[in-house]
Amino acid sequence: MSSSPPVGRLAPSPTGRLHLGHARTFLLAWWSVRARGGRMLLRMEDLDAERVRAGMEDLALEDLRWLGLDWDGPVVRQSERGPLYRAALAQLAEAGRTYPCVCTRKELASAQSAPHGADGQGPYPGTCRGRYTSRRDAGRDAALRFRVAAGPVGFTDGFEGPFEEDLARSVGDFPVARRDGEPAYQLAVVVDDAEQGVTEVLRGDDLVPSTVRQKVLQEALGLPHPRWVHVPLVTDAAGRRLAKRADDLALAALREAGVAPAEVVRWAAVSCGLPDRGEGLAGAYLADFDLDRLPHGSVPAPTY
Ligand code: GLU
């Protein structure tokens, strides 16, 4: 069987400064694809207008270049791809796979007393299933939910191995468009990965709970599945995953403090089981890269 070189993507959200956790995941994504002579794309996930912050896109690009990462072709922005998402939403509606939903977060929270399920909430109870024929008919701003089928759906993660989830039990029918009409993350990612020809999605394991949703959307839209590789996250001194507000570990802050990018790349490489090369940016570790060397379990952030 011949396999063509992979196509990967770096997909930062310009909602805050990138930190050491992002650096490690983006390095891994780049190493994995470039080590096999593949193409790397860059996609700005800037759909959430309320969370996007001015200047964060430029800063993210500067951070990535600082580490020695590069990409092929122009930067693609989700905010400029509305027609593609609308076409996919129309396709799902046409096939009867979505329905309008007017439930607010508050209403859903008060309907569910005990928190459980993949998102810390129970599955959507199906309140609006079969209730309206169209968004207009719903009267107030409606989201669109995707109808999930009962039963387990699985995928084999390139790092963690087999994973299975029964969406009807964990999240229930999930949103593919928000109340303001913007596509939901799950829909946009699936449309973009397919349209951009992405064959490998390497990202943090906080996104594992999204993957089965993305898989069923790909099936409903007749799109191919990429290879999924979810890698462990970097944690702070208290063992919590780094958040974008972990500002002292922001790459821009380290740069301002005079930390050399080779130091950051070296820490990431060694934490990924690669030999210590001392000097050099991302490219210095390409020849050694092997996903099989990556340790399981989260990784503590270094102190500089
Ligand atoms: N934009 C997302 C993030 O920054 C990544 C989404 C993905 O890799 O699918 O967390």
Side-chain angles (χ1 to χ4, degrees):
M1 200 179 84
S2 76
S3 61
S4 19
V7 180
R9 41 52 158 207
L10 304 169
S13 300
T15 54
R17 304 202 288 177
L18 300 185
H19 54 58
L20 285 169
H22 296 108
R24 185 174 187 267
T25 303
F26 289 142
L27 282 162
L28 276 167
W30 189 89
W31 283 328
S32 177
V33 161
R34 291 292 200 218
R36 286 174 286 153
R39 279 166 56 75
M40 185 50 111
L41 309 177
L42 198 145
R43 182 169 78 224
M44 275 294 154
E45 303 214 314
D46 59 352
L47 275 184
D48 192 344
E50 275 162 37
R51 292 183 57 231
V52 166
R53 283 171 49 198
M56 289 303 129
E57 172 177 325
D58 287 347
L59 198 60
L61 299 181
E62 194 181 338
D63 289 341
L64 296 172
R65 290 195 187 100
W66 186 64
L67 298 169
L69 300 177
D70 65 356
W71 51 90
D72 301 299
V75 174
V76 165
R77 288 179 198 84
Q78 289 188 323
S79 58
E80 295 168 359
R81 293 161 70 80
L84 285 172
Y85 309 135
R86 282 195 288 279
L89 288 170
Q91 187 182 337
L92 293 176
E94 187 75 12
R97 302 300 300 269
T98 54
Y99 60 87
C101 169
V102 295
C103 300
T104 61
R105 239 176 248 266
K106 224 166 146 187
E107 285 163 358
L108 291 175
S110 64
Q112 292 162 340
S113 44
H116 52 90
D119 285 354
Q121 279 197 340
Y124 175 67
T127 321
C128 289
R129 220 187 222 227
R131 203 166 163 193
Y132 309 107
T133 48
S134 68
R135 286 179 98 179
R136 194 169 310 148
D137 175 39
R140 49 177 164 148
D141 287 347
L144 287 176
R145 284 185 187 269
F146 180 79
R147 290 171 198 270
V148 303
V153 176
F155 71 96
T156 301
D157 190 88
F159 181 63
E160 295 288 2
F163 181 88
E164 204 176 70
E165 184 178 354
D166 183 341
L167 289 174
R169 286 169 176 271
S170 58
V171 289
D173 298 341
F174 60 88
V176 285
R178 307 183 333 179
R179 296 160 66 88
D180 62 6
E182 288 294 330
Y185 157 73
Q186 311 294 357
L187 182 99
V189 164
V190 156
V191 168
D192 287 336
D193 283 340
E195 195 276 335
Q196 295 186 281
V198 169
T199 61
E200 175 166 305
V201 171
L202 188 152
R203 59 189 176 191
D205 64 12
D206 54 327
L207 285 164
V208 167
S210 287
T211 305
V212 167
R213 277 173 261 181
Q214 294 175 13
K215 185 173 180 192
V216 297
L217 280 180
Q218 284 157 352
E219 275 155 15
L221 289 163
L223 302 175
H225 306 306
R227 170 184 191 236
W228 282 290
V229 184
H230 291 92
V231 298
L233 297 179
V234 176
T235 51
D236 65 14
R240 289 173 309 227
R241 59 177 274 213
L242 299 187
K244 280 206 170 121
R245 55 184 183 278
D247 257 1
D248 48 336
L249 299 175
L251 300 176
L254 299 178
R255 188 159 57 238
E256 279 154 32
V259 174
E263 274 308 300
V264 175
V265 176
R266 179 188 193 183
W267 157 76
V270 171
S271 80
C272 293
L274 303 180
D276 187 347
R277 294 270 169 246
E279 293 286 308
L281 299 180
Y285 295 87
L286 264 186
D288 298 312
F289 181 74
D290 182 353
L291 194 61
D292 288 342
R293 296 179 183 218
L294 185 68
H296 286 262
S298 57
V299 189
T303 43
Y304 291 104

